[in-house]
């Protein structure tokens, strides 16, 4: 039996990556054991699912409704939830289950967990709202049944912009009036020194050692696999981009052929799904990669900036170009991804990605379609971002520029072939 380690209790991205790999390799549910890493425990390197997916293996396609159900169910305090979700997706991928079959015991159980989490989320929000109305700086000791704190932190911040802290057994969150921090919960207090854990001032928030709750540079440098890096990135608050985003969106894919694609930042759909390039630009990218002979899951795709930056307009979240602060703050993650993957070729999709990788301003028209040395083991290739193709004004221009984009991907394919990596 294989053991799958997840970084934390709501490591949905790590779970989903492991599910994709094991389903593609047709590993039966009864052959997997799902475990959550203990506080301070390093995730085993073999838990990094970046090896090849079989070309003929089954694939999973998730509807938005099912994705939302899974995201809610993963927050349930039920040790069987990871195995249950895997069993549902394994059966769906093998056409042994229909999503409309509400009488199926597995689907019934999955929806039951999700519904329980949603009910408690509503109750938790009511408790938080009532508690903070009468407290200038509030410390809410809460014992939710489920693991719902991370998913509700943005609501709490918007509901009460004053200082507050929420302590639960498995996790705690602190809002100091300007920034939001997460830390280990009270169940892990014995593993943290008193100087690190206990607040220094009066009240439960004053003097709190805020920087110790964030992933430090040493933590990032010591992480030796993508699963560990993704878990650390969840808590990144190094620039203001995180404040309105749903989550950090880390990279995904197997990193085969030593090929890495870098985009700009997550969009609206990526922010909700927690996976890069799942929106309209991602569909263009998938189509172009397929024409060249690549499968998205086989390569590693990430972004220069890990949080969605946007502005509200007519009730919609519209993309806002990342500023220099966000690009610089996120560069440490991009460098860590490159260190772990050791790619032979990095394809930079657009000016922001090129600016981050090359550490200088870049004009796409001047530098695209040619191999650029990055260091002793890695070269780069600049091309346009797929979203650029969607913004072009007419069909003939879009088709011409799409063909140019495909030609750049073919150049990358030929490069890897010449290096005997394909």
């Amino acid at each position: 039996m294989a053991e799958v380690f997840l970084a934390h209790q709501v490591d949905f991205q790590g779970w989903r990556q492991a599910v994709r790999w094991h389903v593609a390799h047709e590993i039966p549910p009864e052959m997997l054991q799902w475990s959550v890493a203990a506080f301070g425990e390093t995730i085993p390197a073999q838990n990094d699912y970046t090896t090849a997916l079989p070309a003929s293996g089954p694939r999973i396609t998730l509807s938005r409704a099912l994705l939302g159900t899974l995201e809610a169910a993963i927050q349930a305090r039920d040790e069987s939830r990871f195995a249950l979700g895997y069993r549902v997706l394994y059966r769906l991928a093998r056409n042994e289950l229909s999503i409309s079959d509400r009488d199926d015991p597995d689907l019934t159980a999955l929806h039951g967990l999700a519904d329980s989490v949603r009910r408690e989320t509503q109750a938790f929000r009511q408790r938080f709202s009532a508690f903070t109305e009468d407290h200038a700086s509030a410390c809410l000791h809460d014992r939710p049944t489920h693991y719902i704190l991370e998913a509700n932190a943005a609501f709490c911040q918007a509901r009460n912009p004053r200082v507050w802290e929420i302590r639960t057994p498995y996790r705690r969150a602190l809002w100091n009036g300007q920034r939001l921090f997460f830390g280990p919960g009270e169940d892990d207090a014995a593993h943290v020194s008193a100087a690190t854990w206990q607040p220094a001032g009066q009240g439960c928030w004053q003097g709190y050692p805020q920087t110790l709750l964030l992933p430090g540079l040493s933590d990032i440098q010591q992480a030796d696999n993508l699963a560990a890096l993704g878990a650390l990135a969840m808590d990144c608050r190094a620039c203001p981009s995180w404040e309105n985003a749903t989550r950090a969106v880390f990279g995904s894919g197997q990193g085969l052929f030593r090929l890495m694609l870098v985009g700009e930042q997550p969009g609206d759909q990526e922010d909700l799904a927690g996976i890069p390039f799942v929106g309209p630009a991602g569909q263009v990218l998938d189509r172009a990669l397929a024409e060249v002979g690549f499968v998205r899951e086989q390569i590693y795709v990430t972004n220069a900036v890990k949080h969605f930056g946007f502005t509200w307009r007519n009730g919609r979240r519209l993309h806002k170009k990342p500023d220099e602060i966000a690009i610089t703050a996120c560069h440490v993650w991009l460098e860590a991804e490159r260190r772990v993957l050791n790619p032979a070729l990095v394809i930079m999709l657009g000016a922001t990605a090129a600016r981050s990788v090359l550490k200088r301003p870049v004009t796409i028209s001047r530098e695209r379609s040619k191999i650029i040395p990055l260091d002793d083991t890695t070269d780069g290739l600049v091309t346009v971002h797929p979203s650029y193709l969607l913004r072009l004004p007419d069909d003939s221009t879009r088709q011409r520029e799409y063909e140019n984009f495909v030609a750049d991907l073919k150049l990358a394919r030929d490069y890897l072939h010449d290096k005997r990596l394909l």
Side-chain angles (χ1 to χ4, degrees), residues 27-28 57 76 121 140 147 158 160 184 222 226 234 240 247 254 285 302 358 377 415-417:
I27 307 298
T121 293
L140 174 62
Y147 303 111
N160 188 345
Q222 291 171 17
L226 294 171
M234 184 189 72
R247 73 197 79 205
Q254 302 161 38
L285 177 61
T302 190
L358 299 176
T377 62
Y415 169 93
L416 295 173
H417 187 271

Side-chain angles (χ1 to χ4, degrees), residues 144-214:
T145 302
H146 301 304
Y147 303 111
I148 62 173
L149 182 56
E150 290 92 339
N152 285 280
F155 165 85
C156 294
Q157 176 192 339
R159 180 66 179 80
N160 188 345
R162 297 174 295 183
V163 173
W164 50 259
E165 182 183 357
I166 303 171
R167 295 184 181 183
T168 74
Y170 86 100
R171 200 81 158 126
R172 72 169 50 174
L174 167 73
W175 169 249
N176 69 357
Q178 296 181 326
R179 302 178 70 186
L180 179 66
F181 303 94
F182 290 104
E186 294 174 330
D187 285 350
D188 288 317
H191 301 284
V192 185
S193 68
T196 301
W197 184 253
Q198 298 297 332
Q202 297 298 316
C204 65
W205 63 270
Q206 294 178 350
Y208 200 90
Q210 299 159 9
T211 57
L212 296 178
L213 298 178
L214 301 177

Side-chain angles (χ1 to χ4, degrees), residues 30-192:
E30 61 270 18
M31 297 302 296
L32 294 179
Q33 178 178 333
W34 299 85
S35 301
V36 177
F39 178 77
E41 182 179 3
T42 301
I43 298 176
Q46 63 267 27
N47 205 71
D48 187 12
Y49 300 104
T50 59
T51 56
L53 290 184
S56 59
R59 297 291 188 268
I60 306 170
T61 301
L62 297 181
S63 67
R64 182 167 294 187
L66 179 57
L67 182 65
T69 297
L70 288 166
E71 286 184 312
I74 291 301
Q75 298 173 48
R77 189 181 291 268
D78 186 313
E79 293 183 357
S80 70
R81 67 195 187 280
F82 301 117
L84 172 64
Y86 179 77
R87 193 162 58 248
V88 167
L89 295 183
Y90 179 84
R91 294 174 62 200
L92 285 172
R94 295 168 61 86
N95 296 317
E96 297 173 357
L97 175 65
S98 169
I99 195 64
S100 61
D101 186 5
R102 285 302 187 99
D103 293 329
D104 180 82
D106 286 340
L107 280 177
T108 299
L110 187 71
H111 284 286
L113 290 180
D115 290 344
S116 179
V117 167
R118 288 166 179 150
R119 287 193 298 270
E120 182 168 67
T121 293
Q122 183 177 7
F124 169 80
R125 292 183 175 187
Q126 292 173 347
R127 289 196 302 273
F128 176 85
S129 300
F131 184 82
T132 57
E133 283 176 358
D134 298 324
H135 295 79
S137 55
C139 181
L140 174 62
H141 291 263
D142 200 69
R143 301 189 67 86
T145 302
H146 301 304
Y147 303 111
I148 62 173
L149 182 56
E150 290 92 339
N152 285 280
F155 165 85
C156 294
Q157 176 192 339
R159 180 66 179 80
N160 188 345
R162 297 174 295 183
V163 173
W164 50 259
E165 182 183 357
I166 303 171
R167 295 184 181 183
T168 74
Y170 86 100
R171 200 81 158 126
R172 72 169 50 174
L174 167 73
W175 169 249
N176 69 357
Q178 296 181 326
R179 302 178 70 186
L180 179 66
F181 303 94
F182 290 104
E186 294 174 330
D187 285 350
D188 288 317
H191 301 284
V192 185

Side-chain angles (χ1 to χ4, degrees), residues 13 17 226 230 233 248-253 261 274-276 299-303 306 337:
Q13 182 171 332
Q17 184 181 36
L226 294 171
V249 179
F250 211 66
S252 68
L261 270 63
I275 301 172
I299 58 182
Y300 188 73
V301 181
T302 190
N303 282 300
K306 308 305 186 190
E337 289 169 293

Side-chain angles (χ1 to χ4, degrees), residues 114-389:
D115 290 344
S116 179
V117 167
R118 288 166 179 150
R119 287 193 298 270
E120 182 168 67
T121 293
Q122 183 177 7
F124 169 80
R125 292 183 175 187
Q126 292 173 347
R127 289 196 302 273
F128 176 85
S129 300
F131 184 82
T132 57
E133 283 176 358
D134 298 324
H135 295 79
S137 55
C139 181
L140 174 62
H141 291 263
D142 200 69
R143 301 189 67 86
T145 302
H146 301 304
Y147 303 111
I148 62 173
L149 182 56
E150 290 92 339
N152 285 280
F155 165 85
C156 294
Q157 176 192 339
R159 180 66 179 80
N160 188 345
R162 297 174 295 183
V163 173
W164 50 259
E165 182 183 357
I166 303 171
R167 295 184 181 183
T168 74
Y170 86 100
R171 200 81 158 126
R172 72 169 50 174
L174 167 73
W175 169 249
N176 69 357
Q178 296 181 326
R179 302 178 70 186
L180 179 66
F181 303 94
F182 290 104
E186 294 174 330
D187 285 350
D188 288 317
H191 301 284
V192 185
S193 68
T196 301
W197 184 253
Q198 298 297 332
Q202 297 298 316
C204 65
W205 63 270
Q206 294 178 350
Y208 200 90
Q210 299 159 9
T211 57
L212 296 178
L213 298 178
L214 301 177
L217 183 59
S218 62
D219 299 319
I220 298 170
Q221 292 173 338
Q222 291 171 17
D224 60 0
N225 61 74
L226 294 171
L229 283 173
L232 289 170
M234 184 189 72
D235 287 345
C236 183
R237 303 292 184 266
C239 76
S241 299
W242 68 271
E243 294 181 342
N244 296 313
T246 303
R247 73 197 79 205
V249 179
F250 211 66
S252 68
Q254 302 161 38
L256 296 185
F257 321 124
R258 295 181 61 196
L259 177 61
M260 178 177 180
L261 270 63
V262 181
E264 180 187 87
Q265 69 171 349
D268 180 75
Q269 293 186 35
E270 289 78 9
D271 175 72
L272 296 174
I275 301 172
F277 284 95
V278 296
Q283 295 173 16
V284 174
L285 177 61
D286 287 347
R287 174 188 164 198
L289 288 171
E291 287 192 26
V292 174
F294 290 124
V295 176
R296 160 86 86 84
E297 289 78 9
Q298 294 179 337
I299 58 182
Y300 188 73
V301 181
T302 190
N303 282 300
V305 174
K306 308 305 186 190
H307 284 104
F308 178 33
F310 61 90
T311 57
W312 283 102
R313 186 178 301 167
N314 298 326
R316 297 178 58 200
R317 302 192 302 175
L318 300 182
H319 165 273
K320 179 181 179 183
K321 188 176 180 64
D323 57 22
E324 189 68 21
I325 295 174
I327 296 172
T328 301
C330 270
H331 188 74
V332 64
W333 297 111
L334 193 61
E335 287 295 296
E337 289 169 293
R338 284 181 56 186
R339 171 179 56 79
V340 170
L341 286 166
N342 188 28
L345 183 66
V346 177
I347 300 180
M348 295 158 268
L349 304 173
T352 297
R355 167 70 183 83
S356 179
V357 173
L358 299 176
K359 300 180 182 179
R360 58 178 173 82
V362 173
T363 301
I364 299 296
S365 60
R366 294 177 184 173
E367 303 197 46
R368 73 177 295 184
S369 308
K370 57 186 178 183
I371 301 299
I372 303 171
L374 300 180
D375 55 43
D376 292 340
T377 62
T378 307
D379 292 322
L381 174 66
V382 175
T383 187
V384 297
H385 193 283
S387 63
Y388 161 76
L389 305 174

